[in-house]
Amino acid sequence: MQRGKISFGKIQLNVNKTPAEPKKDEQEDAGGFKKMDKQQMIRQIEDVAEDLESQHLKEVMGISGFGRKAAKVFDINEQIAKARTAAPPAPEPQAAENEDEDEDVIGPLPPSAAVAETEQQQSAEGTKTKTPQAASTDKDDEDEDDADSDGDSDGEESLPRRIPYTHEVQMQHGSRAVLALAGDPSGARIVSGSIDYDMCFWDFAGMDSSMRSFRQLQPCENHPIRALQYSVTGDMILVISGNAQAKVLDRDGFEKLECCKGDQYISDMSRTKGHVAQLTSGCWHPFNREQFLTAALDGTLRIWQGFRVKEQLQVIKTRAQGGLRTSASACNYNRDATLIAAGCVDGSIQTWDTRKMFVNTTHCVRDAHQKGSEITSIVFSYMGQQLATRCNDETMKLWDLRNFKKPMHSWKDLYSRYDTTDCCFSPDDRMLVTGESLAKGQTEANLHFFSTQSFEQVQRIPVAGSHIIKTLWHPKLNQLFVSCGNGIIKCYYDEHRSIRGAKLCVVKTHRKRQPMEMVGVSQIITPHALPLFRQEKTRSSRKKMEKARMDPVKSKRPDLPITSGQGGRVASSGGTLSSYVIRNLGLSKRVDDDQDPREAILKFAKDAAENPYWIAPAYKQTQPKAIFSEKLPADEGAPSAKKTKTESDAT
């Protein structure tokens, strides 16, 4: 293939092609356009390159020119030919050496040599059919390739080794069933909630081998804790309890928000400001730290935004077949928050697209589970293409969102007693984990691991002699947390595959508090010592307190009220306004307000009768003489009850 030349520095035309010779008529014609030969083209291009700036620079520097350098031209074909000649010769295989090597080989030929030998025989014979030996070697090669690919992808045989259950640690929440369990995204803490209204906080960095929680509280008073979840940043905790109001707590358990309750007398649930019935489930937005979703028995799902609002952001209504109301028992977001899924009490699965209006469902499977049995858990895979549901009809199903009409597989005989029993995916989406409740006659509940590809049971771990309710496989710690019906939380971890978490606690020994030593101070009694060196006698605290009580300075006794009414303080006996005015009008004598007025007047009765000054002298001349009635004789014949009483009778 002929390649053109490459030039650098100037425009290079294809000069390999010889220009056509001009006709005589064109040469003779001086006017108009005409074709130029190679030399004329180069001269024209060089004249254009010399611009005005170069001419001015030449004049300033006093030189005639900068020199004339032609552009360097490279020929690609010539360079390739030189490279081929300079390359070292390839080593040619020698037949004699190959024959010697073949003779030295003892035993069956390796697959590559066998294949090469059969190919040589086939080429020599001119046939296209493979020998049985070659076919077997090809099959062995394929098997080895498959084995290598399985080894690279860590096939089904390695799934049990991926389960972290070589060691276990037990944490005691209480004595009642633990219905809720959640882990911090960073893996530093977990929280648990039980049916006895308690919520416990567990900090792995602060716990020792005794595995005790550092805080225990009752956020919703007399309501059981149904669900707990940390926000995406790990600084907020969503608390779903048995009442109609969800709460948001901070990392240390202090309340940040309480959702408002709706009006239960309004029939249209979209017109109320909140839920009007018991909450069933809730979850945070995958990447928005201020948005969360709640579901309740009033037939709605509500999206809440912010920590200061008094009303929900969106209301989603779940409908049964025929448009009737049904309640959602579980809800969840997918990983990119484009889909909301809800499992209803009528056994149906309904999903909505968050980028559209929440009027019609995106997916709706009416007969997903047995009708009338509530779906206790609905969870998306980490890749977002699969969906797992757990139901009280003793089944767990795996769904593919790309073909959502029928489940990929259904696992049966998984007895579930609690309506919060859940399931979870492994961090690599290869396994599905769930627990079972303790059936009648069974002594120990098991934790089941199923493969999401072959749908076979990978492992079964006996946990405790009680029901298994919640299961949490933390992706960062690679540890399993399982809550039971007897108030126990078990943590399973692997010594090599797991990091931090419970491994930080088991190595710390429980430190006992050192008893305080009381040292008695001996006292030397010196009765004849000088006052400067005399020690005070030890007295009991009661005597010291009584002595300090008598001291007005040490006891800080308030000022006593002044009974005289002087010194700017009103006495207790003269608290009226009139007495205050009289005392401050310059009267010398104090008015006793608590004195009987009749007694005060009778004090002057004798003096007024002996020395009349005000009333008797004024009416002395005009006042008539007082005439008093005479004493009547007593009726002797009259009964004593009707006789008039006299002074003698009174005495």
Side-chain angles (χ1 to χ4, degrees), residues 612-630:
Y613 181 76
W614 295 104
I615 299 174
Y619 296 98
K620 186 177 182 181
Q621 297 179 0
T622 59
Q623 187 70 17
K625 187 178 180 180
I627 300 173
F628 299 100
S629 62
E630 298 178 355

Side-chain angles (χ1 to χ4, degrees), residues 212-474:
R212 296 179 182 177
S213 61
F214 73 92
R215 182 163 297 161
Q216 185 174 358
L217 52 91
Q218 293 184 358
C220 301
E221 296 179 352
N222 298 329
H223 296 281
I225 309 299
R226 294 182 55 87
L228 296 169
Q229 189 177 15
Y230 273 94
S231 63
V232 62
T233 55
D235 57 344
M236 297 294 172
I237 305 172
L238 177 63
V239 181
I240 304 296
S241 62
N243 62 352
Q245 296 173 275
K247 285 189 177 183
V248 176
L249 309 180
D250 64 358
R251 188 175 178 84
D252 295 324
F254 297 100
E255 183 177 330
K256 303 292 289 184
L257 169 70
E258 183 179 12
C259 299
C260 60
K261 186 178 181 180
D263 191 351
Q264 57 185 351
Y265 297 103
I266 297 177
S267 59
D268 189 2
M269 290 293 102
S270 61
R271 300 293 181 182
T272 61
K273 295 182 179 180
H275 290 290
V276 298
Q278 174 186 339
L279 296 174
T280 56
S281 180
C283 64
W284 282 98
H285 194 277
F287 46 82
N288 188 352
R289 62 180 295 270
E290 294 186 354
Q291 183 173 329
F292 58 93
L293 174 70
T294 57
L297 293 178
D298 57 358
T300 60
L301 285 82
R302 298 177 189 264
I303 302 174
W304 306 81
Q305 177 73 33
F307 296 143
R308 297 181 180 178
V309 295
K310 297 297 182 181
E311 190 176 353
Q312 73 273 347
L313 182 66
Q314 292 286 344
V315 180
I316 306 173
K317 295 182 180 180
T318 54
R319 296 293 185 185
Q321 195 167 8
L324 301 177
R325 179 191 295 181
T326 185
S327 302
S329 57
C331 62
N332 208 343
Y333 279 100
N334 65 341
R335 301 297 174 180
D336 54 357
T338 58
L339 208 63
I340 293 176
C344 303
V345 295
D346 62 345
S348 63
I349 300 175
Q350 302 179 25
T351 63
W352 295 268
D353 194 343
T354 57
R355 297 164 293 186
K356 301 178 182 178
M357 298 293 291
F358 299 104
V359 178
N360 298 321
T361 58
T362 306
H363 305 93
C364 184
V365 183
R366 293 293 178 187
D367 54 349
H369 286 274
Q370 184 179 348
K371 190 174 183 180
S373 59
E374 53 187 351
I375 298 174
T376 60
S377 175
I378 183 167
V379 59
F380 286 89
S381 64
Y382 288 91
M383 297 300 294
Q385 297 178 355
Q386 293 178 342
L387 179 72
T389 57
R390 184 78 161 89
C391 186
N392 275 341
D393 60 354
E394 302 183 10
T395 61
M396 181 178 65
K397 295 185 179 182
L398 182 64
W399 306 80
D400 190 353
L401 295 177
R402 295 164 293 186
N403 186 14
F404 205 46
K405 294 182 180 180
K406 293 183 179 180
M408 297 174 60
H409 190 75
S410 177
W411 293 275
K412 299 180 180 180
D413 298 331
L414 298 172
Y415 176 59
S416 174
R417 182 179 178 183
Y418 290 89
D419 58 353
T420 57
T421 306
D422 68 342
C423 59
C424 66
F425 283 91
S426 63
D428 56 357
D429 285 342
R430 291 190 177 186
M431 284 179 286
L432 195 59
V433 189
T434 187
E436 64 177 358
S437 297
L438 201 63
K440 187 176 181 180
Q442 191 176 357
T443 58
E444 205 167 21
N446 299 314
L447 191 65
H448 298 272
F449 296 82
F450 300 98
S451 173
T452 57
Q453 298 175 357
S454 63
F455 312 124
E456 296 180 356
Q457 184 172 351
V458 178
Q459 190 71 29
R460 184 178 64 181
I461 302 174
V463 178
S466 182
H467 314 285
I468 297 176
I469 304 173
K470 285 290 184 179
T471 305
L472 173 65
W473 193 331
H474 202 284

Side-chain angles (χ1 to χ4, degrees), residues 568-592:
R569 189 173 290 107
V570 180
S572 60
S573 61
T576 61
L577 179 62
S578 59
S579 62
Y580 176 78
V581 173
I582 291 172
R583 283 196 304 270
N584 290 276
L585 286 178
L587 298 178
S588 59
K589 293 185 178 180
R590 179 180 178 275
V591 179
D592 294 331

Side-chain angles (χ1 to χ4, degrees), residues 90-91 120 122 168 320 475 490 526 564 592-593 600:
Q120 291 178 2
Q122 289 174 5
E168 69 175 59
K490 283 199 172 183
T526 55
S564 62
D592 294 331
D593 295 336

Side-chain angles (χ1 to χ4, degrees), residues 76-88:
I76 295 177
N77 297 328
E78 184 178 355
Q79 296 291 335
I80 293 173
K82 288 181 179 180
R84 287 178 178 176
T85 55

